[in-house]
Amino acid sequence: MMIKRHTLLFVLVAATLFCSCKKETAKETISIEVAETGPQTHKLDALHYIDSLKVGSRSYVYTLHRDSDEGLGTVIDEYDDKWVNSFYELTVECNGQPFFQKRFVKETLGNLLTEDFKRMGILDGFRFMQVEDGKLIFSFCVSYPNSDMSAPFLLTIAPDGSHSIEPDTVLDVMDEGEEGEF
């Protein structure tokens, strides 16, 4: 009987301890609502770049200005994001006098662009390349947004200010430390 009493006492003490040590934990439901962002509209940052060069006795100063223009329409990428088309304006002075000025938009390229690049591409890069036979050569491209798919072109400005645009068929590999596109 003594053993039964001790066992019963042990069970009561253990139950009391267990109940006093057990904390009531309330189940808390935390609800976090994540808003679906859906398609977004993107614009390339505005850019204003000025540089100069000397070719023989001529001093050139060129200015590149880039901005987005909703009036040029939008392109929808593979993620359903909208991209506002942009333009570049190139102004060149020779020996302090106006020499060349033109605004470039995707439509400037006319039939040089494939239908896919007309529909899905934006004008997104423009830079000075070199002087060849007294001609200023710039490169620019129309690309699919956030992609390495691009249609590159060369703009050649002759010493008399006339210009031509043609597809760039030479692969452009930048040297380490060379400036990137604008």
Side-chain angles (χ1 to χ4, degrees), residues 19-65:
C19 289
S20 66
C21 291
K22 185 180 175 188
K23 294 182 178 179
E24 283 292 317
T25 56
K27 290 187 179 183
E28 206 172 303
T29 303
I30 299 174
S31 177
I32 300 174
E33 292 188 33
V34 178
E36 290 195 28
T37 56
Q40 305 220 354
T41 300
H42 302 277
K43 295 179 179 182
L44 294 178
D45 293 335
L47 166 85
H48 194 76
Y49 180 79
I50 300 173
D51 203 351
S52 62
L53 63 136
K54 188 147 176 88
V55 180
S57 64
R58 294 178 171 211
S59 295
Y60 293 96
V61 175
Y62 68 90
T63 304
L64 274 170
H65 176 73

Side-chain angles (χ1 to χ4, degrees), residues 74-83 85 106 113-124 142-147 149-150:
T74 58
V75 168
I76 298 177
D77 70 11
E78 62 185 298
Y79 305 106
D80 289 332
D81 288 340
K82 284 184 182 180
W83 288 82
N85 275 306
K106 195 167 52 171
L113 274 179
T114 66
E115 289 302 316
D116 285 342
F117 277 104
K118 285 179 184 177
R119 189 173 52 20
M120 299 292 296
I122 59 172
L123 187 61
D124 72 346
V142 173
S143 301
Y144 292 169
N146 278 337
S147 165
M149 297 288 295
S150 67

Side-chain angles (χ1 to χ4, degrees), residues 148-163:
D148 59 358
M149 297 288 295
S150 67
F153 296 92
L154 293 175
L155 165 67
T156 303
I157 304 173
D160 66 358
S162 62
H163 73 284

Side-chain angles (χ1 to χ4, degrees), residues 48-177:
H48 194 76
Y49 180 79
I50 300 173
D51 203 351
S52 62
L53 63 136
K54 188 147 176 88
V55 180
S57 64
R58 294 178 171 211
S59 295
Y60 293 96
V61 175
Y62 68 90
T63 304
L64 274 170
H65 176 73
R66 175 183 71 195
D67 211 344
S68 298
D69 183 347
E70 293 195 22
L72 297 173
T74 58
V75 168
I76 298 177
D77 70 11
E78 62 185 298
Y79 305 106
D80 289 332
D81 288 340
K82 284 184 182 180
W83 288 82
V84 177
N85 275 306
S86 49
F87 67 88
Y88 281 86
E89 187 167 280
L90 173 63
T91 304
V92 181
E93 291 182 355
C94 179
N95 296 329
Q97 300 298 313
F99 175 70
F100 179 86
Q101 183 173 1
K102 184 160 179 70
R103 181 178 166 151
F104 294 87
V105 295
K106 195 167 52 171
E107 288 73 19
T108 303
L109 300 167
N111 291 331
L112 295 174
L113 274 179
T114 66
E115 289 302 316
D116 285 342
F117 277 104
K118 285 179 184 177
R119 189 173 52 20
M120 299 292 296
I122 59 172
L123 187 61
D124 72 346
F126 208 115
R127 69 179 180 154
F128 174 76
M129 293 292 292
Q130 65 189 20
V131 176
E132 187 175 296
D133 298 326
K135 299 173 185 172
L136 305 178
I137 300 175
F138 292 82
S139 71
F140 63 100
C141 64
V142 173
S143 301
Y144 292 169
N146 278 337
S147 165
D148 59 358
M149 297 288 295
S150 67
F153 296 92
L154 293 175
L155 165 67
T156 303
I157 304 173
D160 66 358
S162 62
H163 73 284
S164 63
I165 298 173
E166 60 187 44
D168 184 0
T169 57
V170 178
L171 180 62
D172 182 29
V173 179
M174 288 177 36
D175 293 333
E176 202 170 301

